[in-house]
């Protein structure tokens, strides 16, 4: 396998110490984001094919966070490598894409800011839309730099980056985690390759979202009820965990899985259509973000 290396120096201007775990998560997220970069590069240059991307730490300092990285693009064969070099040279000049880290910096920043804007764009709140506009204003400057290096308009470059990224949810998550260490200080920015033009501004750092996965947004809650009516819909006398289902009309009309406490005998529910009981309910949310019961633990049958 043949490869081409591009250096990247990233500086977070934090004044306070950052926990090592947070830096590690940020670096892992950056590596994951860089592994999405070939999708964009191959869209920019249809004749090239990048097999993989490796990221190595050359130097790491933590007074403020200084990351000196080596990004290695891996090509599948000598022929594929030679074709990439020749085609790239013909289009924009070899030095602009393979030997000059500025283009890769612009691409990384555009992906980070684009991921943040995409995540915020899913929200209708005024605050999130304002934050999105802040991030996009910063990104417009970066896009102008990147587009100029590949002789494209800003609109063409933006469209290409957006359409090339297949997993935008993953991009959003990685972008948020890359920026997260900078959010610990109120006036931090992130500068690439010591170039003030290649900066995620402090305004953008503060506007970047804290990524929350769909499963996190649907976090379960637990609630106890001392006396509630349960309508029995399904029973399984051979198990206290499987095959049971009830409807709790005062909570929701949907049928809910029931699990019996060890102290409750299945035979106590035999031939009964309903009981009053002490229960614990695990709540979730449905596709419309409405609160619904997901599981009911039957603690005690009340006389």
């Amino acid at each position: 396998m043949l490869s081409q290396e591009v250096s990247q120096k990233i500086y977070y201007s934090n004044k306070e110490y950052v926990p090592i775990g947070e830096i590690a998560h940020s670096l892992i997220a950056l590596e994951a984001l860089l592994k999405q970069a070939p999708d964009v590069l191959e869209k920019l240059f249809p004749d090239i094919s990048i097999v993989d991307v490796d990221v190595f730490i050359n130097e790491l300092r933590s007074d403020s966070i200084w990351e000196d990285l080596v990004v290695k693009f891996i090509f599948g064969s000598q022929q594929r490598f030679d074709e990439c070099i020749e085609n790239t040279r013909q289009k924009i000049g070899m030095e602009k894409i393979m030997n000059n880290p500025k283009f890769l910096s612009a691409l990384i920043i555009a992906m980070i800011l684009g991921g943040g804007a995409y995540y915020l764009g899913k929200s209708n709140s005024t605050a999130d839309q304002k934050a999105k506009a802040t991030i996009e204003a910063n990104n417009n400057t970066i896009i102008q730099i990147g587009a100029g290096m590949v002789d494209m308009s800003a609109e063409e470059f933006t469209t290409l980056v957006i359409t090339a990224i297949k997993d935008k949810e993953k991009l959003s998550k990685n972008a948020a985690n890359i920026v997260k260490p900078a959010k610990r200080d109120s006036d931090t920015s992130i500068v690439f390759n010591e170039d003030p033009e290649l900066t995620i501004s402090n305004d953008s750092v503060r506007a970047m979202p804290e990524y929350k996965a769909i499963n996190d947004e649907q976090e379960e809650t637990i609630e106890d009820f001392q006396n509630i009516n349960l309508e029995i819909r399904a029973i399984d006398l051979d198990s206290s965990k499987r095959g049971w289902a009830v409807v709790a009309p005062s909570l929701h009309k949907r049928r809910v899985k029931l699990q019996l406490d060890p102290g409750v005998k299945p035979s106590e529910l035999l031939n009964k259509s309903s009981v009053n009981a002490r229960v614990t309910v695990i709540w979730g949310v449905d596709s419309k973000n409405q609160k619904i019961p997901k599981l009911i633990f039957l603690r005690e049958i009340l006389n």
Side-chain angles (χ1 to χ4, degrees), residues 92-115:
I92 61 171
M94 173 65 182
E95 73 284 359
K96 287 187 177 180
I97 181 62
M98 292 300 176
N99 291 341
N100 185 352
K102 185 171 183 175
F103 177 78
L104 183 58
S105 296
L107 178 59
I108 293 170
I109 297 171
M111 290 173 68
I112 292 170
L113 295 176

Side-chain angles (χ1 to χ4, degrees), residues 8 43 45 67 83 114 142 151 158 165 169-170 224 230 255 272 290:
Q8 287 294 297
K43 195 88 170 180
F45 313 113
E67 300 169 354
E83 288 173 353
I142 302 301
D151 297 326
T158 303
I165 299 296
E169 200 66 35
K170 181 179 178 182
D224 291 322
L230 301 177
R255 175 170 160 150
K272 291 184 178 179
Q290 300 295 314

Side-chain angles (χ1 to χ4, degrees), residues 12-18 179-190 200-208:
Y12 294 66
S13 61
N14 292 58
K15 299 297 186 292
E16 302 294 331
Y17 290 123
V18 179
V179 173
K180 189 175 181 179
K183 295 177 75 71
R184 298 181 68 88
D185 285 5
S186 61
D187 59 352
T188 300
S189 58
I190 306 173
I200 299 176
S201 69
N202 174 246
D203 287 342
S204 290
V205 167
R206 288 187 284 112
M208 281 289 287

Side-chain angles (χ1 to χ4, degrees), residues 4 11 32 78 84 138 158 169 193 218 251 254 270 277:
Q4 179 70 37
Y11 175 71
Q78 179 71 52
C84 168
N138 187 172
T158 303
E169 200 66 35
N193 289 308
Q218 298 178 356
L251 301 182
R254 77 189 299 262
L270 188 61

Side-chain angles (χ1 to χ4, degrees), residues 78-138:
Q78 179 71 52
Q79 180 182 357
R80 185 175 292 175
F81 180 77
D82 290 342
E83 288 173 353
C84 168
I85 298 305
E86 182 60 31
N87 289 326
T88 302
R89 181 184 290 113
Q90 290 172 2
K91 292 181 180 180
I92 61 171
M94 173 65 182
E95 73 284 359
K96 287 187 177 180
I97 181 62
M98 292 300 176
N99 291 341
N100 185 352
K102 185 171 183 175
F103 177 78
L104 183 58
S105 296
L107 178 59
I108 293 170
I109 297 171
M111 290 173 68
I112 292 170
L113 295 176
Y118 170 80
Y119 185 86
L120 291 167
K122 297 187 294 182
S123 169
N124 293 321
S125 80
T126 302
D128 284 347
Q129 290 305 309
K130 184 177 180 180
K132 179 174 178 281
T134 297
I135 290 171
E136 287 178 335
N138 187 172

